[in-house]
Structure formats: structure tokens, C-alpha cells
Amino acid sequence: MLLAVVLPLLCLSLVSPSSAIPDHHPLRGRWRELRAPSVDQPTKRVSPAEEQRYRLPTYIVPTHYDLYIESEVHTGNRSFSGQVDIHLDIRQPTRVIYVHNRDLTITWNELVQTVDGESYNETLLYTEDAEREFIIFASRTTFEAGQYVLRIAFQGLLRTEYDGFYLSSYLDETGSRKYLAATQFQAISARSAFPCFDEPAMKATFSVTIRHHPSYKATANMPSYISAG
């Protein structure tokens, strides 16, 4: 069964205190500063220069995501796969695109530009920066300012802690264990569910399609429609 959940104007990464930020991440101290001061939990200050290393460039702005995710969570299997089409407004010539990623495997990508009704596709080279949680896509040539779509196919595992896209379970009235998948994206964990521009300022609209077992339901905080298939 397919369930398409339309999520207009959804910001996946919210600036709020969250224990979901990994201990090693240099921005953890900066997020903690949003909480009331505590003498028991001193914060680690991050210099502006160090923080900037972990920020996305501002000349590439996502405007819309078309996200597809497929899961066999009803079996307790942690594996999931998907594809995301990120509509981009590239505002100055560049050869690289930075996208957030945490523990996802990229299986395929292409950059698409449509000019006068004709589409031009390019498979991009990419490297992974695990420390900063970036995928850095690179073109062999410079692409000019304009509207593009970056398509990325990916695979991942549902996380085992209550963070990002994670696996949970419960016992039903018969004592049978049932599995479910849920999300906790605050503050910087949307990147563990799909490659994205995972910063509060990078707001965009979303259309999400989730393929799941017919005995399951997909729910969201926005209107949805169901398509069998």
C-alpha cells in the first residue's frame, strides 16, 4: 500500500534543546545555550569560525522535497530505502553542492535542469565528510545560477535510540510484539532519515510517499491521502 503524506511548509530541523544531538558534535554546546543556564551542566562554547565550518552555504536554497521511503518495519527489519528529489534555487555559479547526511548509503544520484522544455541530466561525483555530516556533490563543470533538481537514492537502517528515523516496538493485547517506525528530527536528525539541508533557516515544502505493509498505517502532522499499489 502507498500512503502519500503532503507536508506543506514543514521545517524538519527545529532550533530547540534536544538530547538527540550527538555528544561529539561541535554544535551541541551552541544548541544547549538555548536552555536555561544550569550550574550542573556547563556548556562548551563554540567559536564562530568553528561553527561556520558546520554550516551550509547560503547560495543554494532548497524550495521543495519529493520524498519516497519504503520500509519492512512490520517484520522488525531495520532496513529502509528511498529517494529524494530536492528542488534547488542555486543563486551563484558553483561546482559543488553540500547536503547533510548521517549514516545513509548513497546508491545513485543525478542533477537535473530543465531549459526551454528540455532536461539536462548529470551524475555527480561525491565525497563524504563524516565529521561534519556532509555529502559533497561535485560537477565536472560549473553549473550556472538557476533552478535544479538533485535526485538522490539512498539506503539506511532505522536507529535504535529515540533519534532521527528509529525503530520501536510494543506488546499488543495478546502479548505479541509489534514494531513501528517513528521520527524525532529535533534538532539536527532529519539527516538520518534522508539526505537534506538540515538547518532551521533552510525551510521548504514537502511531499512524502511511504510504502508499507497493508496492515500498517502511516500518519503525519499534515493532511494525507492513500493510494493502493
Side-chain angles (χ1 to χ4, degrees):
M1 178 178 290
L2 291 177
L3 176 69
V5 185
V6 181
L7 306 172
L9 298 177
L10 175 67
C11 178
L12 288 179
S13 181
L14 305 177
V15 182
S16 64
S18 172
S19 60
I21 303 175
D23 288 331
H24 67 274
H25 201 289
L27 291 184
R28 183 179 178 87
R30 183 56 57 91
W31 293 118
R32 278 179 170 173
E33 291 172 13
L34 298 174
R35 297 191 298 188
S38 170
V39 295
D40 297 326
Q41 292 184 319
T43 61
K44 178 183 177 181
R45 296 283 178 172
V46 179
S47 70
E50 178 69 7
E51 181 175 338
Q52 192 60 38
R53 290 187 61 244
Y54 289 81
R55 290 294 190 184
L56 292 167
T58 57
Y59 56 82
I60 301 179
V61 178
T63 59
H64 181 77
Y65 292 79
D66 290 308
L67 174 62
Y68 171 87
I69 289 180
E70 184 170 344
S71 170
E72 298 290 330
V73 68
H74 64 286
T75 66
N77 190 335
R78 292 174 55 207
S79 300
F80 68 92
S81 60
Q83 178 177 314
V84 61
D85 291 4
I86 311 176
H87 297 250
L88 300 175
D89 178 11
I90 298 180
R91 299 177 176 178
Q92 70 181 48
T94 184
R95 295 181 63 180
V96 296
I97 301 174
Y98 289 77
V99 179
H100 281 122
N101 171 62
R102 182 185 297 157
D103 300 329
L104 299 173
T105 300
I106 306 305
T107 59
W108 173 83
N109 81 84
E110 69 174 356
L111 186 69
V112 181
Q113 184 182 33
T114 301
V115 179
D116 296 329
E118 293 192 24
S119 294
Y120 300 88
N121 300 31
E122 178 186 357
T123 298
L124 302 178
L125 304 173
Y126 68 90
T127 59
E128 298 188 31
D129 185 336
E131 177 194 356
R132 296 188 294 167
E133 299 186 332
F134 284 147
I135 304 174
I136 306 170
F137 292 97
S139 173
R140 296 175 179 84
T141 60
T142 298
F143 32 88
E144 300 299 323
Q147 306 299 310
Y148 295 80
V149 177
L150 177 59
R151 291 178 174 152
I152 308 171
F154 57 91
Q155 297 175 343
L157 293 175
L158 296 172
R159 303 177 73 83
T160 54
E161 64 273 16
Y162 297 121
D163 172 42
F165 192 27
Y166 64 88
L167 178 69
S168 186
S169 67
Y170 64 94
L171 297 178
D172 66 13
E173 62 276 6
T174 68
S176 299
R177 183 164 297 279
K178 302 294 183 180
Y179 295 94
L180 60 92
T183 60
Q184 170 58 44
F185 288 165
Q186 299 177 8
I188 53 170
S189 291
R191 64 191 70 178
S192 68
F194 59 98
C196 58
F197 290 69
D198 196 15
E199 288 188 4
M202 299 289 186
K203 296 178 174 63
T205 57
F206 284 77
S207 295
V208 181
T209 301
I210 302 174
R211 185 181 180 92
H212 58 81
H213 192 269
S215 64
Y216 271 53
K217 293 182 179 180
T219 61
N221 60 350
M222 296 301 293
S224 64
Y225 66 89
I226 297 176
S227 174

